[in-house]
Amino acid sequence: MPRCFQIHHQDNVATLIDDASPGPVEIIGAARSEIVAAEKIPPGHKIALAEIAAGQAVIKFGVRIGHATQRIRGGAWVHLHNLASDLDERSGSLDLHSGAPTDTNSAYV
């Protein structure tokens, strides 16, 4: 069974340790239980441990790392397509797969 790691007991996301396909995923770390992955999620990426409403804080390490840009179902992949940083306003325009800036105003393009 693939595993994910919940760092802090208040986190509403966990990080995948293994490649996950739709189906059960073992949660290790701050809490030990299971969640059902709703889709394929690569290792190193986040899985929602519960439903996160649009605008709601996404919590990792026990701190707010950003907010949901749309409703995120429990078990869903949490990444650039549904999460925005509260610190980097460009986060919504980053490439989904590479994380590279896609805006032409960026000094990094």
XYZ file of all heavy atoms in Angstrom:
811
model
N 0.857 -1.181 0.000
C 0.000 0.000 0.000
C 0.900 1.239 0.000
O 1.845 1.316 0.774
C -0.899 -0.003 1.241
C -1.781 1.216 1.346
S -2.779 1.373 2.855
C -3.527 -0.196 3.007
N 0.610 2.213 -0.872
C 1.397 3.446 -0.863
C 1.219 4.188 0.461
O 0.220 4.029 1.154
C 0.840 4.254 -2.035
C -0.428 3.608 -2.430
C -0.431 2.223 -1.877
N 2.225 5.003 0.786
C 2.218 5.735 2.053
C 2.344 7.230 1.817
O 2.952 7.674 0.844
C 3.391 5.284 2.923
C 3.360 3.820 3.298
C 4.722 3.340 3.760
N 5.665 3.502 2.649
C 6.982 3.672 2.808
N 7.521 3.693 3.995
N 7.767 3.809 1.762
N 1.785 7.990 2.770
C 1.988 9.434 2.806
C 2.355 9.812 4.233
O 2.079 9.067 5.177
C 0.757 10.196 2.320
S -0.713 10.031 3.344
N 3.006 10.961 4.392
C 3.500 11.386 5.697
C 2.831 12.682 6.111
O 2.944 13.702 5.424
C 5.019 11.571 5.648
C 5.648 11.762 6.995
C 5.897 10.673 7.805
C 5.967 13.025 7.450
C 6.473 10.841 9.057
C 6.533 13.210 8.707
C 6.791 12.106 9.507
N 2.130 12.634 7.243
C 1.517 13.831 7.834
C 2.500 14.356 8.872
O 2.797 13.674 9.854
C 0.174 13.492 8.478
C -0.525 14.691 9.066
C -1.838 14.333 9.758
O -2.139 13.170 9.984
N -2.606 15.343 10.096
N 3.013 15.559 8.676
C 4.068 16.101 9.531
C 3.532 16.552 10.887
O 4.107 16.244 11.920
C 4.778 17.272 8.811
C 5.450 16.731 7.544
C 5.780 17.963 9.720
C 5.910 17.781 6.576
N 2.428 17.273 10.894
C 1.870 17.851 12.125
C 0.412 17.428 12.241
O -0.278 17.312 11.230
C 1.995 19.382 12.047
C 1.683 20.100 13.314
N 0.401 20.416 13.696
C 2.492 20.561 14.293
C 0.433 21.057 14.848
N 1.701 21.156 15.235
N -0.052 17.228 13.455
C -1.427 16.735 13.638
C -2.492 17.696 13.116
O -3.609 17.289 12.839
C -1.681 16.380 15.113
C -1.772 17.565 16.018
N -0.665 18.179 16.561
C -2.842 18.247 16.461
C -1.048 19.203 17.306
N -2.374 19.263 17.270
N -2.165 18.981 12.930
C -3.139 19.943 12.393
C -3.108 20.039 10.868
O -3.942 20.722 10.281
C -2.901 21.330 12.991
C -3.222 21.411 14.465
C -2.962 22.792 15.030
O -2.093 23.517 14.564
N -3.727 23.154 16.045
N -2.157 19.367 10.223
C -2.044 19.431 8.768
C -3.291 18.867 8.097
O -3.807 17.825 8.515
C -0.831 18.635 8.275
C 0.490 19.238 8.712
O 0.504 20.364 9.247
O 1.521 18.568 8.499
N -3.745 19.541 7.029
C -4.856 18.998 6.240
C -4.370 18.432 4.905
O -5.156 18.073 4.046
C -5.994 20.008 6.053
C -5.566 21.307 5.404
O -4.456 21.463 4.918
N -6.484 22.274 5.392
N -3.031 18.352 4.758
C -2.406 17.670 3.629
C -1.267 16.807 4.168
O -0.733 17.064 5.244
C -1.850 18.651 2.569
C -2.964 19.444 1.906
C -0.780 19.567 3.134
N -0.916 15.784 3.396
C 0.237 14.941 3.707
C 1.037 14.784 2.420
O 0.513 14.973 1.321
C -0.213 13.583 4.234
N 2.304 14.424 2.553
C 3.188 14.266 1.400
C 3.312 12.791 1.043
O 3.599 11.963 1.910
C 4.573 14.851 1.714
O 4.415 16.224 2.083
C 5.504 14.741 0.522
N 3.107 12.486 -0.242
C 3.218 11.100 -0.704
C 4.672 10.653 -0.653
O 5.557 11.360 -1.133
C 2.704 10.961 -2.134
C 1.253 10.533 -2.314
C 1.013 9.125 -1.862
C 0.280 11.471 -1.721
N 4.912 9.505 -0.078
C 6.236 8.879 -0.055
C 6.377 7.977 -1.267
O 7.444 7.857 -1.852
C 6.424 8.073 1.248
C 6.377 9.014 2.455
C 7.733 7.285 1.209
C 6.304 8.310 3.784
N 5.282 7.354 -1.642
C 5.246 6.423 -2.768
C 4.289 6.957 -3.832
O 3.442 7.793 -3.548
C 4.742 5.050 -2.297
C 5.521 4.518 -1.110
O 6.745 4.335 -1.241
O 4.900 4.298 -0.042
N 4.427 6.437 -5.037
C 3.497 6.749 -6.118
C 2.131 6.171 -5.740
O 2.043 5.007 -5.353
C 4.012 6.123 -7.407
C 3.342 6.664 -8.643
O 2.953 7.845 -8.639
O 3.216 5.903 -9.613
N 1.083 6.971 -5.798
C -0.253 6.500 -5.423
C -1.176 6.493 -6.631
O -1.197 7.432 -7.411
C -0.846 7.381 -4.329
N -1.914 5.414 -6.765
C -3.005 5.310 -7.737
C -4.299 5.442 -6.963
O -4.298 5.364 -5.733
C -2.949 3.953 -8.432
O -1.766 3.857 -9.190
N -5.424 5.629 -7.641
C -6.683 5.695 -6.905
C -6.845 4.454 -6.024
O -6.657 3.329 -6.481
C -7.740 5.739 -8.007
C -7.031 6.371 -9.161
C -5.618 5.843 -9.080
N -7.135 4.693 -4.758
C -7.281 3.596 -3.805
C -6.664 3.958 -2.463
O -6.276 5.108 -2.240
N -6.568 2.974 -1.549
C -6.106 3.252 -0.191
C -4.645 3.695 -0.128
O -3.799 3.202 -0.862
C -6.299 1.926 0.544
C -6.771 0.936 -0.437
C -6.939 1.587 -1.754
N -4.390 4.644 0.774
C -3.047 5.149 1.060
C -2.898 5.160 2.578
O -3.771 5.664 3.284
C -2.843 6.572 0.491
C -1.495 7.143 0.900
C -3.004 6.585 -1.024
N -1.800 4.615 3.065
C -1.537 4.616 4.505
C -0.963 5.965 4.920
O -0.032 6.470 4.287
C -0.544 3.508 4.856
C -0.214 3.446 6.332
C 0.841 2.403 6.676
O 1.443 1.808 5.749
O 1.066 2.196 7.882
N -1.522 6.553 5.980
C -1.005 7.805 6.539
C -0.098 7.441 7.703
O -0.518 6.741 8.633
C -2.138 8.724 7.044
C -3.125 9.045 5.922
C -1.559 10.005 7.640
C -4.393 9.738 6.393
N 1.160 7.897 7.635
C 2.088 7.692 8.745
C 2.536 9.057 9.244
O 2.274 10.076 8.612
C 3.293 6.814 8.329
C 4.103 7.479 7.207
C 2.829 5.427 7.895
C 5.387 6.740 6.857
N 3.210 9.093 10.371
C 3.681 10.358 10.930
C 2.831 10.782 12.100
O 2.618 10.010 13.031
N 2.326 12.023 12.050
C 1.567 12.598 13.160
C 0.306 11.795 13.476
O -0.136 11.753 14.618
C 1.202 14.044 12.867
N -0.279 11.183 12.459
C -1.477 10.353 12.660
C -1.289 9.073 11.863
O -0.701 9.078 10.790
C -2.716 11.094 12.181
N -1.786 7.986 12.384
C -1.710 6.721 11.661
C -3.120 6.310 11.297
O -3.943 6.057 12.165
C -1.056 5.650 12.521
C 0.440 5.851 12.696
C 1.057 4.592 13.250
N 2.362 4.172 12.875
C 2.919 4.120 11.671
N 2.266 4.531 10.636
N 4.116 3.669 11.475
N -3.383 6.305 10.009
C -4.686 5.869 9.523
C -4.576 5.646 8.029
O -3.480 5.449 7.508
C -5.778 6.889 9.887
O -5.516 8.126 9.281
N -5.697 5.713 7.328
C -5.740 5.527 5.888
C -6.622 6.594 5.256
O -7.526 7.109 5.899
C -6.370 4.171 5.533
C -5.423 3.058 5.355
C -6.128 1.782 4.905
O -7.126 1.841 4.151
O -5.667 0.713 5.326
N -6.329 6.879 4.005
C -7.177 7.739 3.186
C -7.264 7.082 1.817
O -6.378 6.310 1.452
C -6.641 9.185 3.099
C -7.654 10.078 2.412
C -5.291 9.241 2.406
C -7.565 11.525 2.760
N -8.302 7.392 1.076
C -8.443 6.852 -0.277
C -8.042 7.938 -1.272
O -8.665 9.006 -1.322
C -9.889 6.373 -0.536
C -10.039 5.905 -1.971
C -10.260 5.259 0.437
N -6.974 7.674 -2.037
C -6.551 8.607 -3.079
C -7.615 8.632 -4.169
O -8.079 7.584 -4.620
C -5.204 8.192 -3.658
N -7.995 9.818 -4.586
C -9.035 9.980 -5.604
C -8.459 9.936 -7.020
O -9.208 9.807 -7.982
C -9.756 11.309 -5.394
N -7.132 10.033 -7.128
C -6.480 10.090 -8.432
C -5.024 9.686 -8.269
O -4.542 9.507 -7.148
C -6.577 11.508 -8.997
C -5.961 12.567 -8.088
C -6.394 13.973 -8.455
O -6.154 14.378 -9.599
O -6.981 14.643 -7.589
N -4.318 9.572 -9.375
C -2.894 9.264 -9.356
C -2.161 10.473 -8.798
O -2.395 11.603 -9.226
C -2.422 8.934 -10.763
C -0.989 8.508 -10.854
C -0.666 8.022 -12.257
C 0.790 7.686 -12.423
N 1.325 6.752 -11.481
N -1.269 10.243 -7.816
C -0.502 11.325 -7.199
C 0.954 10.873 -7.113
O 1.246 9.825 -6.538
C -1.035 11.677 -5.791
C -2.527 11.999 -5.835
C -0.246 12.846 -5.197
C -3.180 12.151 -4.471
N 1.877 11.667 -7.671
C 3.284 11.263 -7.651
C 3.925 11.454 -6.270
O 3.467 12.275 -5.472
C 3.938 12.180 -8.689
C 2.999 13.299 -8.925
C 1.638 12.870 -8.460
N 4.994 10.707 -6.000
C 5.704 10.880 -4.729
C 6.227 12.308 -4.596
O 6.601 12.945 -5.577
C 6.862 9.880 -4.810
C 6.829 9.259 -6.144
C 5.623 9.734 -6.871
N 6.227 12.820 -3.360
C 6.684 14.180 -3.097
C 5.586 15.217 -3.220
O 5.780 16.371 -2.840
N 4.434 14.808 -3.742
C 3.310 15.733 -3.887
C 2.336 15.556 -2.728
O 2.402 14.589 -1.985
C 2.610 15.507 -5.228
C 3.418 16.009 -6.381
N 3.060 17.109 -7.123
C 4.587 15.564 -6.907
C 3.970 17.319 -8.055
N 4.906 16.392 -7.950
N 1.414 16.505 -2.590
C 0.491 16.523 -1.457
C -0.846 15.871 -1.790
O -1.333 15.987 -2.901
C 0.256 17.975 -1.009
C 1.496 18.646 -0.437
C 1.286 20.112 -0.137
C 1.163 20.997 -1.348
N 2.312 20.977 -2.256
N -1.412 15.217 -0.772
C -2.759 14.647 -0.838
C -3.591 15.329 0.244
O -3.099 15.553 1.359
C -2.737 13.111 -0.652
C -4.134 12.508 -0.836
C -2.121 12.709 0.683
C -4.153 10.979 -0.863
N -4.818 15.709 -0.090
C -5.720 16.320 0.895
C -6.210 15.246 1.855
O -6.709 14.205 1.433
C -6.898 16.981 0.195
N -6.077 15.494 3.145
C -6.509 14.534 4.157
C -7.988 14.675 4.488
O -8.568 13.797 5.122
C -5.669 14.696 5.427
C -4.171 14.415 5.243
C -3.425 14.686 6.537
C -3.953 12.988 4.762
N -8.589 15.770 4.066
C -10.018 16.037 4.263
C -10.412 17.054 3.202
O -9.555 17.640 2.541
C -10.267 16.610 5.660
N -11.701 17.270 3.036
C -12.141 18.289 2.081
C -11.630 19.655 2.529
O -11.668 19.991 3.714
C -13.658 18.317 1.959
C -14.104 19.332 0.933
C -15.561 19.211 0.539
O -16.052 18.083 0.393
O -16.183 20.266 0.356
N -11.154 20.435 1.557
C -10.681 21.795 1.808
C -11.512 22.723 0.914
O -11.499 22.591 -0.308
C -9.173 21.937 1.479
C -8.339 20.902 2.272
C -8.696 23.361 1.763
C -6.886 20.806 1.831
N -12.246 23.621 1.516
C -13.122 24.531 0.766
C -12.305 25.582 0.028
O -11.195 25.935 0.450
C -14.091 25.217 1.723
N -12.843 26.104 -1.064
C -12.196 27.197 -1.791
C -11.949 28.352 -0.828
O -12.834 28.734 -0.064
C -13.072 27.656 -2.953
N -10.734 28.870 -0.824
C -10.361 29.969 0.065
C -9.839 29.520 1.414
O -9.239 30.317 2.142
N -10.059 28.256 1.768
C -9.618 27.739 3.070
C -8.110 27.542 3.083
O -7.494 27.232 2.063
C -10.309 26.413 3.374
C -9.976 25.832 4.732
C -10.711 24.517 4.989
O -11.689 24.192 4.323
N -10.226 23.759 5.938
N -7.513 27.703 4.260
C -6.071 27.519 4.426
C -5.667 26.079 4.157
O -6.367 25.139 4.539
C -5.659 27.906 5.843
N -4.525 25.925 3.498
C -3.885 24.616 3.349
C -2.758 24.604 4.372
O -1.894 25.488 4.383
C -3.366 24.406 1.910
C -2.581 23.100 1.812
C -4.531 24.407 0.929
N -2.792 23.604 5.259
C -1.870 23.539 6.387
C -0.891 22.384 6.203
O -1.296 21.235 5.996
C -2.632 23.334 7.725
C -3.751 24.377 7.895
C -1.666 23.332 8.911
C -3.283 25.789 8.039
N 0.417 22.698 6.283
C 1.490 21.703 6.240
C 2.551 22.183 7.215
O 2.771 23.391 7.320
C 2.047 21.585 4.820
C 3.099 20.505 4.657
C 3.530 20.388 3.206
C 4.623 19.351 3.060
N 5.116 19.291 1.684
N 3.198 21.309 7.911
C 4.171 21.650 8.959
C 3.485 22.367 10.130
O 4.135 23.047 10.905
C 5.301 22.558 8.445
C 5.965 22.129 7.182
C 5.710 22.797 5.990
C 6.842 21.050 7.160
C 6.324 22.414 4.815
C 7.456 20.658 5.980
C 7.200 21.345 4.808
N 2.152 22.271 10.209
C 1.412 22.963 11.252
C 1.215 24.441 10.964
O 0.725 25.169 11.817
N 1.582 24.904 9.760
C 1.433 26.314 9.389
C 0.721 26.432 8.046
O 0.729 25.503 7.233
C 2.792 27.056 9.327
C 3.467 27.061 10.683
C 3.707 26.449 8.277
N 0.148 27.576 7.814
C -0.548 27.849 6.555
C 0.484 28.022 5.442
O 1.367 28.877 5.542
C -1.386 29.117 6.723
C -2.179 29.510 5.510
C -2.933 30.807 5.770
N -3.579 31.247 4.556
C -4.884 31.467 4.441
N -5.671 31.321 5.485
N -5.392 31.840 3.292
N 0.394 27.198 4.390
C 1.318 27.323 3.263
C 0.644 27.996 2.067
O 1.304 28.297 1.080
C 1.911 25.964 2.840
C 0.813 25.002 2.351
C 2.738 25.366 3.968
C 1.346 23.779 1.616
N -0.647 28.217 2.144
C -1.388 28.844 1.059
C -2.873 28.620 1.258
O -3.322 28.315 2.370
N -3.637 28.761 0.167
C -5.081 28.573 0.255
C -5.581 27.847 -0.992
O -4.969 27.933 -2.065
C -5.804 29.912 0.428
C -5.608 30.838 -0.724
N -4.492 31.651 -0.851
C -6.361 31.073 -1.825
C -4.585 32.347 -1.964
N -5.714 32.015 -2.579
N -6.687 27.158 -0.824
C -7.303 26.435 -1.941
C -7.939 27.437 -2.894
O -8.660 28.330 -2.468
C -8.350 25.461 -1.414
N -7.670 27.267 -4.186
C -8.273 28.150 -5.188
C -9.609 27.605 -5.673
O -10.341 28.289 -6.391
C -7.337 28.319 -6.397
O -7.050 27.029 -6.953
C -6.045 29.011 -5.981
N -9.915 26.389 -5.274
C -11.186 25.727 -5.584
C -11.408 24.656 -4.521
O -10.504 24.379 -3.741
C -11.145 25.093 -6.971
C -10.056 24.043 -7.113
C -9.881 23.584 -8.550
O -10.270 24.243 -9.484
N -9.276 22.430 -8.726
N -12.578 24.089 -4.482
C -12.856 22.996 -3.543
C -11.924 21.838 -3.859
O -11.745 21.453 -5.010
C -14.307 22.550 -3.691
C -14.659 21.358 -2.855
C -16.127 20.973 -3.079
N -16.374 19.657 -2.586
C -16.569 18.585 -3.354
N -16.584 18.684 -4.664
N -16.789 17.413 -2.808
N -11.305 21.284 -2.799
C -10.419 20.130 -2.948
C -11.022 18.985 -2.143
O -11.189 19.098 -0.928
C -8.995 20.440 -2.439
C -8.414 21.660 -3.159
C -8.091 19.215 -2.614
C -7.094 22.153 -2.580
N -11.363 17.919 -2.811
C -11.940 16.759 -2.123
C -10.870 16.041 -1.301
O -9.690 16.039 -1.674
C -12.505 15.766 -3.134
C -13.667 16.287 -3.943
C -14.151 15.269 -4.948
N -13.013 14.809 -5.771
C -12.948 13.638 -6.374
N -13.930 12.783 -6.283
N -11.902 13.298 -7.085
N -11.279 15.409 -0.225
C -10.366 14.555 0.519
C -9.842 13.475 -0.408
O -10.595 12.908 -1.191
N -8.534 13.216 -0.364
C -7.921 12.218 -1.224
C -7.430 12.764 -2.549
O -6.808 12.051 -3.331
N -7.678 14.045 -2.826
C -7.274 14.648 -4.098
C -5.832 15.143 -4.048
O -5.285 15.448 -2.983
C -8.201 15.808 -4.454
N -5.240 15.257 -5.240
C -3.902 15.808 -5.415
C -3.965 17.308 -5.136
O -4.816 18.021 -5.679
C -3.464 15.540 -6.848
C -2.126 16.020 -7.266
C -0.991 16.130 -6.507
C -1.745 16.441 -8.582
N 0.056 16.582 -7.268
C -0.379 16.784 -8.553
C -2.430 16.553 -9.789
C 0.321 17.224 -9.665
C -1.737 16.998 -10.903
C -0.380 17.325 -10.838
N -3.097 17.803 -4.277
C -3.025 19.233 -3.959
C -1.746 19.760 -4.582
O -0.642 19.347 -4.223
C -3.034 19.470 -2.429
C -2.944 20.958 -2.118
C -4.280 18.862 -1.801
N -1.903 20.667 -5.557
C -0.744 21.174 -6.297
C -1.111 22.526 -6.910
O -2.091 23.148 -6.508
C -0.339 20.143 -7.355
C 1.035 20.319 -7.912
N 2.159 20.457 -7.127
C 1.470 20.371 -9.202
C 3.225 20.584 -7.906
N 2.828 20.539 -9.168
N -0.371 22.957 -7.895
C -0.532 24.298 -8.473
C -1.895 24.560 -9.098
O -2.300 25.710 -9.223
C 0.550 24.528 -9.534
C 1.989 24.454 -9.023
C 2.958 24.460 -10.194
C 2.269 25.601 -8.081
N -2.616 23.521 -9.475
C -3.918 23.698 -10.122
C -5.036 24.010 -9.122
O -6.110 24.437 -9.520
C -4.283 22.457 -10.943
C -4.439 21.217 -10.135
N -3.372 20.578 -9.537
C -5.537 20.503 -9.815
C -3.818 19.512 -8.876
N -5.122 19.456 -9.028
N -4.791 23.802 -7.813
C -5.842 24.047 -6.828
C -5.327 24.689 -5.536
O -6.062 24.802 -4.574
C -6.620 22.759 -6.526
C -5.740 21.624 -6.037
O -4.573 21.813 -5.686
N -6.304 20.423 -6.008
N -4.071 25.102 -5.529
C -3.441 25.712 -4.359
C -2.685 26.955 -4.796
O -1.950 26.913 -5.789
C -2.464 24.717 -3.714
C -1.489 25.246 -2.660
C -2.225 25.701 -1.408
C -0.468 24.178 -2.305
N -2.843 28.051 -4.077
C -2.090 29.283 -4.344
C -1.334 29.674 -3.084
O -1.852 29.559 -1.977
C -3.020 30.418 -4.763
N -0.134 30.131 -3.281
C 0.685 30.612 -2.177
C 0.127 31.954 -1.702
O -0.315 32.773 -2.502
C 2.128 30.786 -2.643
O 2.886 31.478 -1.673
N 0.197 32.181 -0.405
C -0.174 33.490 0.138
C 1.004 34.459 0.051
O 0.846 35.646 0.278
C -0.603 33.362 1.599
C -1.899 32.594 1.751
O -2.712 32.596 0.815
O -2.091 31.985 2.819
N 2.196 33.931 -0.277
C 3.403 34.749 -0.304
C 3.861 35.097 -1.713
O 4.548 36.088 -1.907
C 4.535 34.019 0.430
C 4.206 33.612 1.870
C 5.325 32.777 2.456
C 3.935 34.832 2.719
N 3.510 34.284 -2.702
C 3.940 34.517 -4.082
C 2.705 34.616 -4.961
O 2.089 33.615 -5.295
C 4.847 33.374 -4.553
C 5.419 33.596 -5.940
O 5.024 34.567 -6.620
O 6.267 32.785 -6.356
N 2.340 35.827 -5.343
C 1.112 36.021 -6.120
C 1.195 35.392 -7.508
O 0.180 35.185 -8.155
C 0.759 37.502 -6.228
C 1.824 38.338 -6.885
C 1.562 39.827 -6.743
O 1.215 40.273 -5.642
O 1.707 40.536 -7.754
N 2.383 35.031 -7.983
C 2.529 34.376 -9.279
C 2.244 32.882 -9.206
O 2.213 32.212 -10.229
C 3.944 34.570 -9.837
C 4.253 35.992 -10.217
C 5.668 36.141 -10.765
N 6.635 35.496 -9.904
C 7.444 34.498 -10.297
N 7.419 34.060 -11.512
N 8.298 33.971 -9.450
N 2.059 32.320 -8.020
C 1.940 30.867 -7.882
C 0.811 30.279 -8.724
O 0.905 29.147 -9.166
C 1.762 30.466 -6.417
O 0.546 30.951 -5.898
N -0.217 31.046 -8.984
C -1.325 30.555 -9.802
C -1.004 30.465 -11.278
O -1.746 29.853 -12.039
N 0.126 31.052 -11.700
C 0.476 31.019 -13.123
C 1.672 30.118 -13.413
O 2.193 30.117 -14.522
C 0.763 32.444 -13.632
O 1.927 32.957 -13.020
N 2.119 29.345 -12.441
C 3.247 28.446 -12.656
C 2.805 27.212 -13.424
O 1.677 26.752 -13.294
C 3.873 28.038 -11.318
C 4.416 29.194 -10.475
C 4.932 28.670 -9.140
C 5.502 29.963 -11.199
N 3.720 26.648 -14.225
C 3.423 25.447 -14.990
C 3.120 24.294 -14.044
O 3.870 24.047 -13.096
C 4.613 25.095 -15.887
C 4.351 23.852 -16.707
O 3.630 23.948 -17.710
O 4.861 22.780 -16.312
N 2.036 23.584 -14.302
C 1.571 22.511 -13.422
C 2.616 21.420 -13.241
O 2.772 20.887 -12.152
C 0.276 21.913 -13.979
C -0.305 20.728 -13.227
C -0.682 21.116 -11.801
C -1.519 20.192 -13.959
N 3.355 21.078 -14.273
C 4.272 19.936 -14.195
C 5.696 20.331 -13.813
O 6.349 19.608 -13.071
C 4.258 19.165 -15.514
C 2.898 18.634 -15.823
N 2.339 17.567 -15.146
C 1.954 19.036 -16.694
C 1.132 17.344 -15.600
N 0.866 18.226 -16.538
N 6.175 21.468 -14.277
C 7.561 21.845 -13.994
C 7.684 22.870 -12.873
O 8.745 23.005 -12.275
C 8.214 22.410 -15.257
O 7.652 23.676 -15.568
N 6.608 23.613 -12.608
C 6.667 24.692 -11.614
C 7.308 25.959 -12.155
O 7.482 26.925 -11.441
N 7.663 25.968 -13.443
C 8.308 27.137 -14.053
C 7.305 28.262 -14.264
O 6.137 28.011 -14.546
C 8.931 26.738 -15.386
N 7.758 29.512 -14.147
C 6.866 30.651 -14.407
C 6.382 30.634 -15.857
O 7.138 30.312 -16.764
C 7.754 31.860 -14.166
C 8.911 31.380 -13.361
C 9.083 29.934 -13.740
N 5.127 30.979 -16.061
C 4.569 31.043 -17.416
C 4.207 32.480 -17.791
O 3.854 32.729 -18.931
C 3.314 30.166 -17.548
O 2.339 30.611 -16.595
C 3.641 28.708 -17.304
N 4.317 33.414 -16.835
C 3.981 34.798 -17.155
C 5.182 35.470 -17.827
O 6.328 35.147 -17.572
C 3.553 35.572 -15.902
C 4.639 35.652 -14.853
O 5.539 34.796 -14.855
O 4.586 36.569 -14.020
N 4.924 36.384 -18.712
C 5.998 37.054 -19.450
C 6.582 38.231 -18.680
O 7.574 38.808 -19.107
C 5.483 37.552 -20.814
O 4.356 38.402 -20.598
C 5.091 36.390 -21.691
N 6.013 38.580 -17.534
C 6.526 39.682 -16.732
C 7.599 39.229 -15.750
O 8.169 40.017 -15.034
C 5.387 40.353 -15.957
C 4.372 40.967 -16.869
O 4.711 41.474 -17.921
N 3.109 40.896 -16.499
N 7.852 37.939 -15.713
C 8.781 37.399 -14.735
C 10.225 37.589 -15.162
O 10.582 37.432 -16.324
C 8.510 35.899 -14.554
O 9.525 35.336 -13.747
N 11.064 37.898 -14.220
C 12.501 37.991 -14.487
C 13.121 36.626 -14.703
O 14.254 36.517 -15.135
C 13.176 38.693 -13.318
N 12.367 35.568 -14.370
C 12.904 34.206 -14.454
C 12.611 33.530 -15.781
O 13.020 32.415 -16.008
C 12.343 33.352 -13.319
C 12.637 33.948 -11.964
C 11.620 34.551 -11.229
C 13.915 33.928 -11.449
C 11.892 35.101 -9.998
C 14.186 34.480 -10.214
C 13.181 35.067 -9.495
O 13.448 35.623 -8.285
N 11.843 34.165 -16.662
C 11.480 33.531 -17.936
C 12.544 33.844 -18.962
O 13.049 34.892 -19.081
C 10.093 34.010 -18.420
C 9.785 33.442 -19.797
C 9.045 33.610 -17.437
